[in-house]
Amino acid sequence: MAKDPKPVDPDKMSRGKQFVETYRMASKSDPRLGLWIIGSFVVGAAVGFAVFWILPGSGWLGTVISVVGALLLGTLLAMIVFGRRAQRAAYSQMEGQPGAAAAALRMLRGRSWKTDPVIAFTKQQDVVHRVVGPPGIILVGEGNPHRLRQLMTSERRKHERVADGIPIHEVFCGNGEGEVPLPKLARHVQKLGRQVKPAEMTDVLYRLKALDANRSAIPMPKGPVPTSMKGMRGQMRGR
């Protein structure tokens, strides 16, 4: 029996392959995705043609400019609609799966963010992830809120011992009261403010490395986390 092919790293894909893989993944939970893309392209092209037809005036030059403007605006609108619906589809597929919060945290942009998935867990697959960035240390928990509180408290104490003076935030990912929904997780973390300077972050990461050295190896919980998430992030950033 043939073995399943090894998943390809999205970062090593061409833009075209990333687009195809993202579309394939998103269309599973959004069957009308293709219609939305075509419809948005038609609407954008119609608006673009009308606008550029009025601006340069009539004649063959005006027609050429109008056609080019229609194609550009139609393509732009189609890509915006595709990116947003693909992102929504990805979150809907990840919702409720172990490790979903870790995948969502990959959407954090820039080198000023460092995410360490599953630094602590329970046998029931309640997990705590860690993000180090401008707000300080952010502990992100996903799972049963009652079991998580004890786990988060334990992790907070460990981090306070090695990162004295560094702000530590606790975020619970979920749809309950006081929790942050998965689609809003990355944005919520970004809005926690800038309380740590880049030089301080280097020192924090060094101290956390010593803390993690005393931990046993923790496997990432298995679940259908889309492998094209990083590729979709590139699409969203216009890379």
Side-chain angles (χ1 to χ4, degrees):
M1 185 174 179
K3 295 182 179 180
D4 294 334
K6 185 178 180 180
V8 180
D9 186 349
D11 286 340
K12 298 180 180 179
M13 293 182 182
S14 64
R15 286 298 299 273
K17 288 184 178 180
Q18 284 186 6
F19 183 92
V20 171
E21 176 65 16
T22 302
Y23 178 85
R24 183 191 64 78
M25 177 274 297
S27 61
K28 291 181 179 180
S29 57
D30 189 356
R32 297 185 179 181
L33 178 60
L35 294 176
W36 275 96
I37 295 175
I38 294 173
S40 59
F41 175 82
V42 172
V43 171
V47 173
F49 186 87
V51 171
F52 283 95
W53 178 262
I54 295 173
L55 292 180
S58 58
W60 67 270
L61 180 60
T63 302
V64 172
I65 294 177
S66 298
V67 170
V68 173
L71 292 175
L72 291 176
L73 189 58
T75 301
L76 177 62
L77 184 58
M79 291 303 296
I80 292 175
V81 170
F82 169 68
R84 292 190 176 183
R85 293 191 73 88
Q87 185 182 44
R88 186 184 304 174
Y91 283 129
S92 67
Q93 291 182 22
M94 291 188 298
E95 195 81 43
Q97 301 297 335
L105 291 170
R106 294 177 191 166
M107 299 296 286
L108 292 171
R109 303 178 180 183
R111 297 182 179 180
S112 57
W113 299 94
K114 185 180 185 303
T115 303
D116 294 306
V118 196
I119 61 169
F121 72 110
T122 66
K123 294 180 180 179
Q124 293 80 15
Q125 289 194 315
D126 308 299
V127 297
V128 175
H129 313 291
R130 182 180 64 213
V131 179
V132 180
I137 298 173
I138 306 101
L139 300 176
V140 180
E142 59 174 327
N144 183 281
H146 301 290
R147 292 192 299 261
L148 270 176
R149 294 194 182 281
Q150 183 176 356
L151 188 61
M152 291 278 273
T153 300
S154 174
E155 284 302 313
R156 184 184 185 94
R157 290 173 179 170
K158 292 178 182 178
H159 285 74
E160 285 176 339
R161 285 197 293 266
V162 299
D164 183 41
I166 300 298
I168 299 177
H169 309 268
E170 294 182 13
V171 177
F172 292 84
C173 182
N175 297 313
E177 184 178 356
E179 297 178 334
V180 180
L182 185 67
K184 298 181 180 180
L185 181 59
R187 183 172 296 182
H188 176 83
V189 170
Q190 289 175 319
K191 289 183 177 181
L192 291 176
R194 305 182 67 89
Q195 304 177 52
V196 178
K197 298 178 181 179
E200 293 178 310
M201 279 187 59
T202 302
D203 181 54
V204 171
L205 291 173
Y206 181 79
R207 291 190 236 173
L208 294 180
K209 186 176 181 181
L211 172 64
D212 294 339
N214 295 323
R215 301 179 187 269
S216 57
I218 302 176
M220 180 71 177
K222 295 181 179 180
V225 176
T227 57
S228 59
M229 192 69 173
K230 292 174 70 177
M232 189 194 71
R233 177 182 60 183
Q235 298 279 358
M236 294 292 291
R237 294 174 61 183
R239 221 172 53 183

